Amino acid sequence: MSQSGVLRPGHVCIRVLDMDEARTHYIERLGLIETDQDDQGRVYLKGWDEQDWFSVVLREADEPGMDFMGFKVRDKDTLEALAGKLEAHGCNVERIPAGELNHCGERVRFDSPTGHFFELYAEKEWKGNGLGLENPDSWQEGLKGMQVSRYDHCLLYGDDVDGTVDLFREVLGFGLTEKVVDGDLVIAAFLSCSNKAHDIALVRHPEKGKFHHASFLLNSWEEVLRAADLISMHDISLDIGPTRHGITRGRTIYFFDPSGNRNEVFCGDYTWYPDHPTITWTADNLGKAIFYHDRRLNENFLGVVT
């Protein structure tokens, strides 16, 4: 349920070093479904239960990381209104015409104080989840790998967390669901435009524009454990897990794609509403906040970004 004009995270563009290896990882291992490839060589993917044509774009490049994260908004009027608010806020705003990404309408791209690029769009072609809209079955046969149902969120690292939190709250209407503080300093923030515990998260980091992970939803703890089996079966580089977060309560496992980009698959969080107070975690409990079971920090998890 949207609490503002922004409906949900709609897509992420991830840079990969070798497209063949990336295809194997994201399609055969995660279970995303390839829906297109454009004349720039970008590959379009979606989770099996997503309705729009794509949610992940892979672009072959010389270094890994994230090009941009996109959010779908309610309609064209909302897009225009938010574009004006972004310009008034001082963002550099670029209009990207419909069709620059296949199957996607006009996009409004803007920068942020943490150095990340985001975009808004109102229209994307409908693909469906293969179940139909009349008397549908419960799930799709023939799914591969971890069988992720949707792209869910990103965690991003950058220096001016306060500025980007202000941008998302004041301009885009997101709510601050949880934060981690060290005294008066906010070192991490979790923001939602929906009923989810978070749709985007930000962590303070000395460098701008860094990508920590893209996250994909599974339906149960058993599916997270099955993902762990597949990680071992195919010698995928494991970061940490299976485990549980204190922040958001998600049950999770983290691993890396062949280019070094971190992925998460997870299940479970809580339902959030705009009248809920922000949950605060203090720096002395950071281990429990991140990894609720063993309550210890993993330096690889904290420090490795692309």
Side-chain angles (χ1 to χ4, degrees):
M1 179 185 297
S2 172
Q3 307 293 351
S4 69
V6 182
L7 297 177
R8 62 178 177 272
H11 55 242
V12 61
C13 184
I14 299 172
R15 298 191 299 270
V16 298
L17 304 180
D18 183 288
M19 188 60 77
D20 289 337
E21 289 183 347
R23 266 197 171 108
T24 297
H25 176 82
Y26 285 95
I27 298 170
E28 302 297 328
R29 307 299 176 241
L30 268 78
L32 293 171
I33 297 167
E34 183 171 349
T35 58
D36 206 355
Q37 181 174 357
D38 65 22
D39 56 9
Q40 298 183 41
R42 296 176 297 188
V43 172
Y44 297 71
L45 308 167
K46 66 181 287 292
W48 76 263
D49 204 19
E50 292 178 303
Q51 300 288 344
D52 286 347
W53 199 280
F54 66 89
S55 61
V56 175
V57 180
L58 302 178
R59 182 177 73 87
E60 193 168 78
D62 293 333
E63 61 179 12
M66 183 189 82
D67 281 343
F68 53 82
M69 180 181 181
F71 294 87
K72 192 171 189 179
V73 303
R74 184 174 291 121
D75 51 34
K76 286 185 176 182
D77 288 343
T78 303
L79 185 65
E80 291 302 318
L82 290 175
K85 291 179 70 174
L86 288 164
E87 290 174 348
H89 191 75
C91 296
N92 295 307
V93 175
E94 178 186 3
R95 299 278 186 151
I96 301 174
E100 195 281 331
L101 281 176
N102 286 0
H103 314 287
C104 190
E106 182 187 20
R107 293 135 62 207
V108 172
R109 184 176 294 173
F110 58 98
D111 60 356
S112 66
T114 47
H116 300 97
F117 289 94
F118 301 101
E119 50 187 45
L120 308 176
Y121 66 95
E123 296 180 330
K124 187 179 284 183
E125 291 180 26
W126 185 81
K127 181 70 172 176
N129 61 7
L131 302 180
L133 297 177
E134 185 174 341
N135 304 322
D137 290 316
S138 298
W139 50 276
Q140 191 181 127
E141 292 185 300
L143 299 174
K144 296 180 179 180
M146 300 175 194
Q147 303 179 6
V148 299
S149 61
R150 73 163 188 251
Y151 158 61
D152 191 83
H153 66 267
C154 286
L155 172 58
L156 307 175
Y157 274 36
D159 56 348
D160 189 358
V161 167
D162 300 311
T164 300
V165 168
D166 183 65
L167 169 64
F168 272 81
R169 296 187 75 184
E170 299 303 319
V171 179
L172 301 179
F174 282 58
L176 181 64
T177 61
E178 303 199 35
K179 62 182 178 178
V180 181
V181 300
D182 187 359
D184 293 329
L185 183 68
V186 175
I187 58 178
F190 296 77
L191 298 130
S192 179
C193 62
S194 64
N195 281 128
K196 291 157 50 185
H198 64 320
D199 290 300
I200 183 173
L202 301 160
V203 170
R204 194 175 297 275
H205 183 73
E207 297 176 274
K208 286 185 179 292
K210 292 300 181 179
F211 177 62
H212 188 270
H213 72 263
S215 182
F216 302 90
L217 182 69
L218 298 177
N219 293 315
S220 69
W221 178 236
E222 287 75 16
E223 290 188 6
V224 174
L225 296 177
R226 182 176 176 276
D229 291 342
L230 288 165
I231 288 168
S232 184
M233 189 182 303
H234 295 287
D235 295 320
I236 296 170
S237 179
L238 176 69
D239 187 13
I240 194 165
T243 187
R244 187 187 189 110
H245 292 308
I247 297 172
T248 78
R249 306 182 199 161
R251 289 160 285 175
T252 179
I253 186 167
Y254 289 90
F255 50 97
F256 295 96
D257 75 7
S259 301
N261 296 302
R262 185 185 282 101
N263 302 149
E264 177 192 26
V265 293
F266 83 104
C267 70
D269 54 11
Y270 54 80
T271 300
W272 179 81
Y273 293 99
D275 61 339
H276 288 189
T278 300
I279 296 168
T280 299
W281 295 82
T282 55
D284 58 326
N285 271 281
L286 188 58
K288 186 176 182 179
I290 298 176
F291 302 124
Y292 188 73
H293 291 153
D294 60 11
R295 304 177 301 283
R296 290 195 302 268
L297 297 178
N298 177 324
E299 291 303 320
N300 191 55
F301 181 83
L302 293 178
V304 175
V305 291
T306 54

